[in-house]
Amino acid sequence: MTYKQKKEILEQYQNAVHSIKGLQREYETWLTIGTGITQKLSPVNAKSGNSDKIANAAIKCAEIQSQIAREIDIAEKERLNTTALINSCVNARHKDILTMIYINGLSKATVAKDYDKT
């Protein structure tokens, strides 16, 4: 396995985590839209078309929840692959550093600072 292939495998878990976080932000946006419309409804305004907007927001939220569940399954598999690759390292310090970056999601600058390196 080449260095490039190893790096791609290591990065896949963090990519999956970022994807989930993005979907969570999108879900919160749609939830806010649906909630905002619901709060503005009044008995006088019943035929304003807001019910379609609420339904669309609810459908979008449900779709995103399903997508998040699929992404979590993918992330779990990627985490196992990443952990296996990290554990194949002989040097314990390298394992720690790779875990901090590719499992815990710390930046390389933060890890370097922790180890007093540039």
Side-chain angles (χ1 to χ4, degrees):
M1 185 179 300
T2 67
Y3 172 80
K4 184 179 178 182
Q5 290 170 327
K6 288 179 184 178
K7 187 170 176 161
E8 286 174 3
I9 290 170
L10 289 170
E11 290 174 343
Q12 287 175 349
Y13 173 65
Q14 282 302 313
N15 291 341
V17 169
H18 293 302
S19 177
I20 292 167
K21 287 179 181 178
L23 287 168
Q24 287 172 328
R25 283 190 297 272
E26 186 178 354
Y27 175 81
E28 290 296 325
T29 300
W30 280 104
L31 189 61
T32 301
I33 290 169
T35 304
I37 292 169
T38 303
Q39 290 173 353
K40 292 176 186 174
L41 287 178
S42 69
V44 178
N45 233 353
K47 294 184 180 181
S48 66
N50 283 333
S51 60
D52 288 343
K53 293 176 186 174
I54 295 168
N56 289 340
I59 290 168
K60 192 65 177 172
C61 284
E63 290 172 358
I64 293 171
Q65 283 179 326
S66 295
Q67 197 172 354
I68 288 171
R70 287 190 301 273
E71 290 292 329
I72 288 172
D73 290 340
I74 292 168
E76 288 173 350
K77 291 173 187 170
E78 294 301 339
R79 188 179 193 288
L80 291 174
N81 292 339
T82 301
T83 303
L85 185 57
I86 289 171
N87 288 334
S88 70
C89 290
V90 178
N91 187 312
R93 189 179 68 132
H94 291 169
K95 285 182 187 180
D96 289 342
I97 291 170
L98 291 172
T99 299
M100 285 188 271
I101 294 170
Y102 295 107
I103 299 295
N104 301 334
L106 297 177
S107 70
K108 292 172 185 162
T110 301
V111 173
K113 186 177 179 182
D114 289 348
Y115 280 89
D116 293 324
K117 302 287 183 187
T118 56

